[in-house]
């Protein structure tokens, strides 16, 4: 059997359930736009990025279809087993064909069977708009899932201050958790921030797409923890 499939939580659709992966649909999420019609103005006033300087997105519905080779009695058992594990639950979903990322959302399971040989099963995920990297910037990198074409190695842990680093951000702006062994000072985005010993999470320190220069001063070590995301 072709073992390519999907990991849902801790279960793999082929190895654990014997499902054959048939189709996948992953549409792009709809942008949440805001426009205002202004009298005397051509077109509309677009305020989509006015609040936080970036585009926000709605959830997207991911549809995965599978085939099960089983008789009617075995189908009842398998269908109940899969539904009991994930139906209605919010879980992480990773495709074997895109192993560096996971989607997360609430799962719906449906199945039909009209013969004694095959049954069809559909798993729908009401997923967050962004898919997230398997490893965060403060975790050891997983080379098995790394893409040499699009992957970026981020290992921002056990770094020594003083230093200046360029933190590579991804599509979704994110507030990192900066953990310090001692009080440090951070220059970022034209501002200076005092970081206490322990965890620091400041909503004004936002990692945006591309390079983000961060200059640390003071004596100590630190880690910058965030998870890169992509559409």
């Amino acid at each position: 059997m072709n073992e390519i499939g999907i990991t849902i939580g801790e279960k793999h659709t082929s190895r654990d359930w014997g499902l054959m992966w048939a189709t996948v649909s992953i549409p792009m999420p709809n942008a949440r736009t805001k426009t205002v019609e202004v009298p005397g103005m051509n077109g509309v006033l677009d305020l989509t990025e006015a609040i936080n300087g970036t585009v926000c997105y709605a959830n997207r519905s991911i549809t995965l279809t599978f085939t099960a080779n089983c008789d009617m009695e075995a189908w009842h058992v398998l269908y109940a087993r899969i539904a009991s594990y994930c139906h209605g639950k919010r879980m992480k979903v990773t495709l074997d064909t895109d192993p560096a990322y996971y989607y997360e959302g609430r799962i719906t399971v449906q199945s039909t069977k009209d013969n004694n040989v095959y049954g069809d099963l559909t798993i729908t995920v009401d997923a967050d708009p962004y898919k997230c990297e398997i490893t965060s910037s403060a975790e050891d990198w997983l080379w098995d899932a790394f893409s040499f074409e699009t992957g970026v190695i981020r290992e921002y842990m056990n770094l020594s201050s003083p230093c200046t680093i360029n933190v590579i951000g991804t599509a979704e702006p994110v507030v990192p958790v900066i953990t310090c062994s001692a009080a440090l000072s951070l220059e970022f985005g034209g501002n200076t921030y005092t970081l206490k010993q322990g965890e620091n999470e400041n909503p004004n320190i936002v990692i945006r797409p591309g390079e983000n220069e961060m200059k640390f001063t003071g004596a100590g070590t630190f880690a910058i923890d965030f998870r890169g995301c992509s559409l």
Side-chain angles (χ1 to χ4, degrees):
M1 177 187 294
N2 184 355
E3 290 193 352
I4 191 170
I6 315 295
T7 298
I8 301 173
E10 302 297 326
K11 298 293 185 181
H12 189 270
T13 55
S14 175
R15 294 189 293 271
D16 292 304
W17 296 329
L19 299 176
M20 293 177 286
W21 187 10
T23 66
V24 56
S25 173
I26 308 177
M28 282 292 117
N30 291 327
R32 288 178 169 167
T33 59
K34 175 64 175 178
T35 58
V36 177
E37 293 187 4
V38 179
M41 175 183 173
N42 291 318
V44 295
L45 179 62
D46 192 337
L47 302 175
T48 301
E49 292 97 343
I51 296 177
N52 57 11
T54 189
V55 178
C56 293
Y57 298 94
N59 275 13
R60 54 178 159 183
S61 182
I62 298 173
T63 303
L64 308 159
T65 63
F66 304 87
T67 300
N69 185 354
C70 58
D71 60 25
M72 190 66 74
E73 183 177 349
W75 171 79
H76 282 293
V77 174
L78 180 62
Y79 187 18
R81 179 183 171 195
I82 296 171
S84 296
Y85 177 73
C86 61
H87 180 68
K89 299 176 183 178
R90 182 175 174 86
M91 304 181 79
K92 293 181 180 179
V93 176
T94 304
L95 283 62
D96 285 357
T97 51
D98 192 17
Y101 294 90
Y102 67 84
Y103 298 89
E104 189 166 4
R106 198 160 300 280
I107 294 172
T108 300
V109 179
Q110 294 178 314
S111 183
T112 58
K113 186 170 177 64
D114 56 10
N115 62 73
N116 204 39
V117 180
Y118 292 102
D120 297 321
L121 187 137
T122 301
I123 293 176
T124 305
V125 187
D126 181 17
D128 298 337
Y130 287 96
K131 62 181 182 180
C132 298
E133 294 176 351
I134 292 293
T135 55
S136 78
S137 59
E139 295 176 334
D140 291 329
W141 202 254
L142 299 177
W143 287 104
D144 289 346
F146 182 73
S147 171
F148 287 91
E149 293 183 1
T150 61
V152 177
I153 297 176
R154 300 182 190 83
E155 289 185 328
Y156 305 129
M157 53 187 176
N158 298 321
L159 302 174
S160 296
S161 177
C163 70
T164 300
I165 61 173
N166 273 323
V167 176
I168 306 302
T170 54
E172 182 183 25
V174 61
V175 175
V177 176
I178 305 175
T179 304
C180 306
S181 65
L184 301 175
S185 181
L186 167 63
E187 292 182 27
F188 177 73
N191 297 301
T192 300
Y193 301 94
T194 298
L195 305 178
K196 69 179 189 305
Q197 182 181 10
E199 291 188 353
N200 298 265
E201 191 170 6
N202 188 324
N204 295 314
I205 302 174
V206 181
I207 303 299
R208 299 191 180 277
E211 294 187 353
N212 297 262
E213 184 176 278
M214 308 182 82
K215 182 179 180 180
F216 291 83
T217 55
T221 61
F222 63 92
I224 305 170
D225 190 10
F226 70 96
R227 197 174 296 275
C229 297
S230 174
L231 289 176

